[in-house]
Amino acid sequence: MTHDAATADRRPLKARHVSMISIGGIIGSGLFVGSSAAIAATGPAIVVSYAVAGVLILLVMRMLADMALASPGAGSFTEHIRIGLGDGAGFVAGWLYWIFWALAIALEGLAGASIIATWLPGTAAWQIGLLLVAGMTALNLLSVRAFGESEFWLSGIKVAAIILFIGVAAFAVGKGMIGGGGIPAPLYAYGGFAPFGAASIFSGVTAVILALVGAEIITIAAADAHEPGPVIARLTTTLIIRVALFYLLSMLLIVAIVPWTGIRPGASPFAMALAAVGAPGVSLMMNAVIIVAVLSCMNSGVYVCSRVLVALAGKGEAPAFFAKAGGRGVPVRAILAGSGAAVLAVLASVLSAERLFAMLVNATGMVMLIVYLMLVLAHMRFVRQGGESRLPRATGPVVIAAMVAVIASMLATPGLASQAWAGLTTTALLMLAYRVLSRRRAAA
């Protein structure tokens, strides 16, 4: 076997796979359905909220790119936090990230199951959710290449659907403006562009910033790709720009077509906009796209969960049992652990929906903000120690201030305070767990 063939065997993912895998983690039911709640709470100004959130995430990804180029073999992006802030921070960030994606698998599965259940009378959504988790687990167990190829096509369908939506909606809005309508009335005629005042724009950032996380999957998938360093360098920044544009253009067109007062939380604003412009078969088409988005996000989630657990096991911060890979280089045990956690979360939605499951859902909201905050702190230390960065030195403190403000806003917002406290409590428990682990190591 030649050197190139051996490399291809060990790293079966290409740049196109890595790009689509990351998109798979970013675009899920949160865009196609979850955005309705943000629009209803903010009005047309939600477009500005998405823009601000997009800039924050873009800056974080640029920082990640700097550190990934300096240490291309680090693996999971949480390992860059370890390099910058020490083993304790790496432990906390790694487990927070694993928890986030294990819960995301369950939440996306339940979102897709709720649609499929309407087509299968007599079948409970949680039962379908378990089947979806099992299906995505089986796909990941086949091989890394099978996962990458399936994610490429699933994410491709999502991207095509968004581009088609933007094209149809833009044509309808442009036609109305050229016909003498001027600025679309929904942007200003229902209480103004920011009906709840300028402060609501910042509150909107709090609500939507989590919809844009996921681009960091690039650093994880790149470990299975040819030339991981160059792959990360090319995609980390450009990917989030593309996705942010998808979000921004979609939201702008939606609020230009449908009065924000008519958008119901839990309904797909994409379907409502397409129905408003007279597109045929809207309901069936959007439900199909949402299910594809759900499967894609779950697929990426299973992959990411397993690789993060392998990295933790390799550091002795998870049982070494999970670090072992199967004959095809697939970490079977780590995959089953992540999927098992997702199964437990789905079951919690049935057995303890208002307590345990609600607590789990709330924890996801804050977890990624804390992980990103740690990543920015790691980059600041990276720069102080002479690391090369194209960003101004003031960028780190500015981003930290913005994220702290978002967290403070969550704590001050009744509907979001429980998310903030759940995430902070989870972080505190992990810090305590690391302290116990450190003492045991010292005593051994």
Side-chain angles (χ1 to χ4, degrees):
M1 182 181 290
T2 66
H3 173 73
D4 289 342
T7 301
D9 185 56
R10 292 195 309 270
R11 293 179 173 174
L13 299 183
K14 299 179 181 179
R16 66 182 178 90
H17 294 126
V18 176
S19 177
M20 287 301 188
I21 288 166
S22 298
I23 288 176
I26 302 171
I27 302 177
S29 61
L31 170 62
F32 292 108
V33 180
S35 55
S36 58
I39 296 173
T42 309
I46 194 65
V47 177
V48 181
S49 301
Y50 270 104
V52 173
V55 169
L56 284 176
I57 299 297
L58 174 61
L59 291 174
V60 174
M61 290 304 102
R62 287 288 299 271
M63 295 176 188
L64 176 58
D66 290 339
M67 293 185 287
L69 281 173
S71 304
S76 170
F77 93 102
T78 56
E79 291 306 301
H80 295 289
I81 294 175
R82 183 188 303 276
I83 293 171
L85 302 180
D87 287 337
F91 174 90
V92 172
W95 278 109
L96 283 176
Y97 197 56
W98 185 86
I99 290 169
F100 173 84
W101 278 108
L103 294 176
I105 296 167
L107 295 176
E108 291 289 331
L110 288 170
S114 65
I115 295 175
I116 298 174
T118 63
W119 302 337
L120 300 172
T123 306
W126 68 269
Q127 295 172 326
I128 299 172
L130 291 179
L131 289 176
L132 295 181
V133 173
M136 292 301 100
T137 302
L139 190 57
N140 273 262
L141 289 173
L142 286 176
S143 68
V144 176
R145 183 58 181 264
F147 156 74
E149 201 63 38
S150 63
E151 190 54 42
F152 175 80
W153 291 106
L154 287 171
S155 291
I157 292 172
K158 288 192 298 188
V159 171
I162 294 174
I163 292 174
L164 179 61
F165 170 82
I166 290 173
V168 171
F171 176 78
V173 171
K175 184 179 179 181
M177 294 178 68
I178 293 173
I183 297 175
L187 288 173
Y188 62 85
Y190 299 87
F193 182 71
F196 299 104
S200 68
I201 296 175
F202 188 75
S203 297
V205 173
T206 303
V208 306
I209 193 169
L210 294 169
L212 291 169
V213 305
E216 72 287 336
I217 293 175
I218 289 174
T219 61
I220 299 173
D224 287 317
H226 302 296
E227 302 177 342
V231 167
I232 294 170
R234 287 196 305 271
L235 296 179
T236 304
T237 305
T238 58
L239 178 73
I240 193 63
I241 290 175
R242 292 174 195 164
V243 174
L245 287 175
F246 285 155
Y247 272 82
L248 284 174
L249 288 174
S250 297
M251 290 303 110
L252 178 60
L253 290 167
I254 287 169
V255 295
I257 293 171
V258 183
W260 69 271
T261 52
I263 293 179
R264 304 180 308 277
S268 172
F270 287 77
M272 297 178 71
L274 288 174
V277 301
V282 171
S283 178
L284 180 60
M285 179 177 65
M286 283 311 305
N287 281 339
V289 170
I290 292 168
I291 290 171
V292 168
V294 160
L295 293 176
S296 172
C297 197
M298 292 177 71
N299 199 25
S300 288
V302 173
Y303 175 85
V304 171
C305 253
S306 64
R307 272 53 181 187
V308 172
L309 187 55
V310 167
L312 287 168
K315 297 292 183 180
E317 295 169 351
F321 175 84
F322 294 118
K324 297 179 181 179
R328 296 181 301 277
V330 176
V332 174
R333 297 168 181 175
I335 288 174
L336 293 177
S339 297
V343 166
L344 292 177
V346 171
L347 293 176
S349 71
V350 181
L351 302 175
S352 182
E354 295 183 0
R355 291 191 176 183
L356 179 58
F357 186 68
M359 182 187 71
L360 294 175
V361 171
N362 287 338
T364 63
M366 186 70 171
V367 159
M368 281 306 296
L369 282 176
I370 294 173
V371 173
Y372 274 15
L373 189 61
M374 295 171 73
L375 186 66
V376 177
L377 290 171
H379 183 266
M380 290 175 63
R381 178 169 290 184
F382 168 79
V383 172
R384 285 199 302 270
Q385 293 176 345
E388 185 177 347
S389 175
R390 292 170 292 177
L391 294 170
R393 293 182 71 91
T395 303
V398 169
V399 173
I400 286 177
M403 287 189 170
V404 169
V406 168
I407 293 172
S409 177
M410 290 180 72
L411 290 169
T413 304
L416 298 174
S418 59
Q419 293 186 22
W421 285 116
L424 290 170
T425 301
T426 303
T427 303
L429 289 174
L430 286 172
M431 292 172 68
L432 179 62
Y434 181 75
R435 190 166 185 176
V436 172
L437 176 65
S438 298
R439 287 182 176 179
R440 286 183 177 179
R441 284 177 171 175

